[in-house]
Amino acid sequence: MSWKSIEMQVALPRTQDAGKMQDNMVKQGQHFQESLAQTQRKQEERTRKRVNEFEKTEKVKNKEQHSKNLINKKTQLEQSEEEYKMNHPYLGSQIDFNG
């Protein structure tokens, strides 16, 4: 046997091993991409839910604040009417029932 045939006997199994290793690396990369995509989908879903929940709570807060503002406006109007009645320049504050 010549040296070339002996080298070929050693070289062929190594190329097959290299092919298997390369195939495994490609599969590992695909698996990594799939898991990354799945993680991103979960993160997007959490973000979407969080935004929806935030919008719901904001609507409730806005309604509560609006109702409080209405109540405050009513009480302010009542107070201003009372002050106006008490401090009117030409209307009296006492009624004379004698007569």
Side-chain angles (χ1 to χ4, degrees):
M1 281 189 142
S2 68
W3 284 102
K4 288 187 179 182
S5 61
I6 294 174
E7 288 176 9
M8 291 302 288
Q9 289 177 1
V10 174
L12 287 177
R14 288 190 180 175
T15 56
Q16 290 174 354
D17 290 340
K20 287 179 185 177
M21 287 176 56
Q22 186 176 9
D23 189 41
N24 287 340
M25 288 174 56
V26 168
K27 287 181 182 178
Q28 188 178 18
Q30 289 173 348
H31 178 69
F32 178 73
Q33 288 293 330
E34 289 173 3
S35 65
L36 183 64
Q38 185 179 13
T39 304
Q40 286 177 339
R41 274 184 267 146
K42 287 180 182 179
Q43 183 67 27
E44 287 174 2
E45 186 175 335
R46 279 190 221 125
T47 306
R48 241 182 280 125
K49 287 181 180 179
R50 189 177 310 136
V51 168
N52 289 341
E53 290 172 4
F54 180 72
E55 287 176 356
K56 289 177 185 177
T57 57
E58 280 297 312
K59 286 180 183 178
V60 170
K61 286 180 183 177
N62 287 341
K63 286 180 182 179
E64 290 174 356
Q65 188 175 14
H66 182 69
S67 63
K68 286 180 183 178
N69 287 341
L70 287 177
I71 292 171
N72 287 340
K73 285 181 183 179
K74 287 180 184 178
T75 56
Q76 287 175 356
L77 285 174
E78 291 170 357
Q79 288 175 356
S80 63
E81 285 177 6
E82 289 176 8
E83 289 175 5
Y84 177 75
K85 289 177 185 176
M86 291 172 53
N87 298 326
H88 199 276
Y90 57 87
L91 288 179
S93 59
Q94 297 179 353
I95 301 175
D96 186 16
F97 290 109
N98 295 335

